[in-house]
């Protein structure tokens, strides 16, 4: 076996791992196998390399691409005026720099053939277009969809999630299937960009992160109607007044919004070659439909391997070092981890995949450390709405908003008319109803008298303050000094 995998070596310091590596001649297993070609996997690669720079790492990417980031797929790539954007996948990032969706160029990995996988002892190897279909945690092997079995020393499950579909979706005739799609990948972007370029009328079903971002982005290119059951955009996350205000802004960006509209039927009209969405007893026809109704974490591989699955949140259960079983680690959207500040959680956001991946990678390479860092997340809904957030943002919690102007919802009701004979002068005048305008503010989410979440609406660069608030370590005097903690993975 690869010498660095021997248990006594795992506990030693970094220098010892490097020295031991020099003694390796022909390893009979891959030192590290990372299943999944997303953010968590790529970040784990960097985490391993921080500890063990010459480590042999095999990345198994189910898509036909090497690791890439997803956030620009519903934002920046759509705002590009470059007609070639679907081929080069470059975008202008928040620093104004032209950057690629891919973390590294394909030729920076050693691309290997899934049918011919042999450990050599060092270097990053990448298999694309093949999925891991079986995991044996006792024999320490992963089997690929072509039947190849790969022995590993340590394995990471970073398989992300799969978009949910609607009940009627699979029953649609074949002609309609390509018109009713989910959205998560580069290939999904390429297909939807082609639809938008033809000026088709697109319906986006879902009022969450993806549905809202994508609707605003698509409105720059084509006609869009967003359909969802809640009272406003992001209503499961934002307090009601903010969800309603946000909906008005989304409409100003050109999106027709059908809120309070649960889709009760999805059909195909062969005559017009359109998709019919029924909601509130009314039928609406569209050329194309994007279903954005959340994801299911990809845990089948783990379930089949006998790993514990969180019955409530649906992720793979890991300890504080992101280890599910000995030598088996997990990171990203598919993980149910214990957050020491906020309790058990599963987080479907980029920064959690970056940090979780890095932590898992370092743990895999023999530098375990509890994953105690609070990740942040962000979203943009057109040029007027951008927010950063941390912790648990659940609109069913009590919220306290601090805004430049007081929201109407927080204004006390006008006092009842003075009773007959009462001294009218003693009744205070109703405060004038302020104009609802939530351009800038902070919303705190409270559970059991404790702040568990913080939304910074159109306020940037204060996530470290939010982190301290959540951890109860906030020093008010520091509030204006702190930089943003968002991380770039692009090499
Ligand atoms: P993924 O990125 O999904 O990667 C998992 C990969 O594993 C996939 O490529 C999948 O094909 C592959 N895979 C699955 N099973 C197997 C298998 N058995 N074998 C091999 N490979 C497999 N978050 C934010 O905080 N801010 C944003 O602005 C933001 N924007 C987003 C925009 C879009 C369009 C989407 C879809 C998500 C966005 N997110 C955002 C969420 C963020 O991208 C995810 O939280 C993050 O991608 C999770 O990383 P991951 O590595 O866990 O999973
Ligand atoms: P989500 O969980 O944010 O939102 C799900 C939405 O689905 C709900 O708001 C609801 O409106 C809708 N929904 C659920 N059941 C429905 C039904 N039967 N009919 C109609 N609508 C229904 O998930 P999403 O918006 O689909 O996003 C997909 C994934 O991508 C998530 O993991 C999300 O976190 C991630 N994402 C994150 C960001 C970000 O952090 N800025 C941006 C885009 C995507």
């Amino acid at each position: 076996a690869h010498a660095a995998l021997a248990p006594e070596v795992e506990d030693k310091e970094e220098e010892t791992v490097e020295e031991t590596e020099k003694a390796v001649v022909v390893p009979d297993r891959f030192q590290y196998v990372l299943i999944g070609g997303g953010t968590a996997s790529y970040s784990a690669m960097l985490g391993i390399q921080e500890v063990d720079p010459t480590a042999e790492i095999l990345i198994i990417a189910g898509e036909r691409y090497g690791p890439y980031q997803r956030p620009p797929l519903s934002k920046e790539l759509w705002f590009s005026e470059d007609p070639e954007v679907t081929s080069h996948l470059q975008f202008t990032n928040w620093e104004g720099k032209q950057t690629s969706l891919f973390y590294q160029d394909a030729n920076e990995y050693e691309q290997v053939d899934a049918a011919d996988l042999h450990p050599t002892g060092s270097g990053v190897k990448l298999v694309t277009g093949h999925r891991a279909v079986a995991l044996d945690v006792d024999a320490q092997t992963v089997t690929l969809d072509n039947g190849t079995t790969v022995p590993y020393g340590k394995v990471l499950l970073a398989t992300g999630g799969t978009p949910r579909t609607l009940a009627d979706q699979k029953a649609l005739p074949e002609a309609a299937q390509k018109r009713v799609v989910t959205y998560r990948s580069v290939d999904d972007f390429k297909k939807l960009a082609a639809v938008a370029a033809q000026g088709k009328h697109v319906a986006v079903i879902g009022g969450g992160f993806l549905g809202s971002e994508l609707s605003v982005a698509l409105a720059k290119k084509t006609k869009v109607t967003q359909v969802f059951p809640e009272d406003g955009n992001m209503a499961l996350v934002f307090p009601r007044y903010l969800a309603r205000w946000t909906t008005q802004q989304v409409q100003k960006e050109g999106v027709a919004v059908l809120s309070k509209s649960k889709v009760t039927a999805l059909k195909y009209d062969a005559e017009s070659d359109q998709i019919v969405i029924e909601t509130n007893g009314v039928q609406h026809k569209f050329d194309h439909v994007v279903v954005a109704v959340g994801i299911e974490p990809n845990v089948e591989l783990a379930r089949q391997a006998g790993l514990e699955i969180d019955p409530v949140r649906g992720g793979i259960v890991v300890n504080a070092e992101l280890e599910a079983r000995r030598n088996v680690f997990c990171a990203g959207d598919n993980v149910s981890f214990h957050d020491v500040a906020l309790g058990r959680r599963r987080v479907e956001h980029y920064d959690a995949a970056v940090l979780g991946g890095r932590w898992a990678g370092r743990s895999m390479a023999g530098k375990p450390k509890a994953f105690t860092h609070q990740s942040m997340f962000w979203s943009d809904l057109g040029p007027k709405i951008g927010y950063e957030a941390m912790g648990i943002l659940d609109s069913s919690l009590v919220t306290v908003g601090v805004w430049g102007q007081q929201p109407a919802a927080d204004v006390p009701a006008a006092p009842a008319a003075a009773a007959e004979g009462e001294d009218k002068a003693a009744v205070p005048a109703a405060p004038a109803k302020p104009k609802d305008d939530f351009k800038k503010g902070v919303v705190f989410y409270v559970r059991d008298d404790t702040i568990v979440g913080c939304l910074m609406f159109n306020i940037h660069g204060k996530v470290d303050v939010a982190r301290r608030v959540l951890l109860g370590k906030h020093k008010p005097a520091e509030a204006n000094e702190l930089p943003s903690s968002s991380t770039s993975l692009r090499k």
Side-chain angles (χ1 to χ4, degrees), residues 176-484:
Q177 289 289 347
K178 64 177 188 310
R179 300 195 186 287
V180 182
V181 298
T182 55
Y183 190 87
R184 190 163 175 90
S185 66
V186 164
D187 286 340
D188 296 337
F189 166 67
K190 291 184 176 201
K191 285 181 204 154
L192 193 58
V195 169
Q198 291 162 18
K200 302 285 186 191
H201 187 180
V202 179
V204 176
I205 301 178
F209 287 99
L210 178 59
S212 301
E213 287 183 4
L214 199 54
S215 295
V216 169
L218 273 166
K220 296 276 161 277
K221 306 278 178 193
T222 196
K223 192 174 172 193
V224 188
T225 301
Q226 191 185 0
V227 187
F228 51 80
E230 295 90 20
D231 199 1
N233 287 75
M234 301 302 299
L236 300 179
V237 176
F238 293 171
R240 182 184 285 192
Y241 64 84
L242 188 57
R244 286 184 177 167
W245 186 81
T246 298
T247 303
Q248 290 167 16
Q249 307 312 307
V250 168
Q251 287 167 326
K252 283 182 191 162
E253 294 303 320
V255 180
V257 178
L258 296 178
S259 57
K260 296 189 195 165
S261 299
K262 189 169 167 53
V263 174
T264 45
L266 195 63
K267 295 181 210 146
Y268 178 56
D269 178 39
E271 203 175 315
S272 63
D273 190 22
Q274 283 183 308
I275 304 298
V276 181
I277 287 179
E278 190 179 291
T279 173
N280 298 330
V282 181
Q283 299 201 333
H284 306 265
K285 282 189 190 173
F286 301 98
D287 300 312
H288 203 84
V289 175
V290 181
V291 177
V293 297
I295 62 164
E296 286 299 328
N298 290 327
V299 296
E300 269 323 298
L301 201 57
R303 195 191 301 279
Q304 159 270 316
L307 302 182
E308 185 182 355
I309 309 299
D310 183 329
V312 178
R313 299 160 197 84
I316 307 164
V317 176
V318 291
N319 67 15
E321 288 78 29
L322 302 177
E323 192 176 26
R325 284 271 300 264
R326 188 168 160 72
N327 297 329
V328 182
F329 295 77
C330 308
D333 282 3
N334 66 353
V335 170
S336 168
F337 66 100
H338 177 64
D339 178 330
V340 286
L342 302 172
R344 186 153 285 281
R345 296 172 75 196
R346 190 173 66 75
V347 179
E348 296 174 2
H349 292 292
Y350 182 80
D351 198 37
V354 170
L355 294 167
R358 178 155 170 246
W359 246 255
R362 290 182 59 87
S363 288
M364 291 170 85
K367 292 271 183 185
K369 196 174 155 207
F371 181 51
T372 53
H373 195 71
Q374 279 296 330
S375 60
M376 57 83 76
F377 63 91
W378 80 97
S379 176
D380 296 320
L381 292 174
K384 294 207 180 118
I385 298 180
Y387 57 89
E388 297 182 347
M390 186 171 290
I392 299 171
L393 268 67
D394 175 345
S395 61
S396 68
L397 295 173
V398 169
T399 62
V400 178
V402 181
W403 296 94
Q405 273 180 296
Q406 192 180 16
D410 287 355
V411 175
E420 199 59 26
E422 201 174 320
D423 177 6
K424 287 193 165 74
V427 179
K433 185 178 179 298
K435 187 171 153 279
D436 289 343
D437 200 345
F438 305 112
K439 283 192 182 124
K440 201 174 256 210
V442 180
V443 179
F444 296 101
Y445 293 70
V446 182
R447 187 180 65 188
D448 301 333
D449 286 336
T450 305
I451 295 172
V452 293
C454 183
L455 168 68
M456 290 154 284
F457 203 75
N458 284 331
I459 293 177
H460 297 274
K462 297 284 183 235
V463 290
D464 287 337
V465 178
R467 188 170 287 127
R468 278 205 270 278
V469 169
L470 255 54
L471 300 176
K473 294 177 181 164
H474 178 50
K475 293 190 189 108
E478 295 172 326
N480 292 322
E481 300 165 13
L482 300 162
S484 166

Side-chain angles (χ1 to χ4, degrees), residues 137-151:
V137 296
D138 297 315
Q140 298 195 196
T141 57
V142 174
T143 303
L144 271 57
D145 53 11
N146 65 347
T148 303
T149 292
V150 181

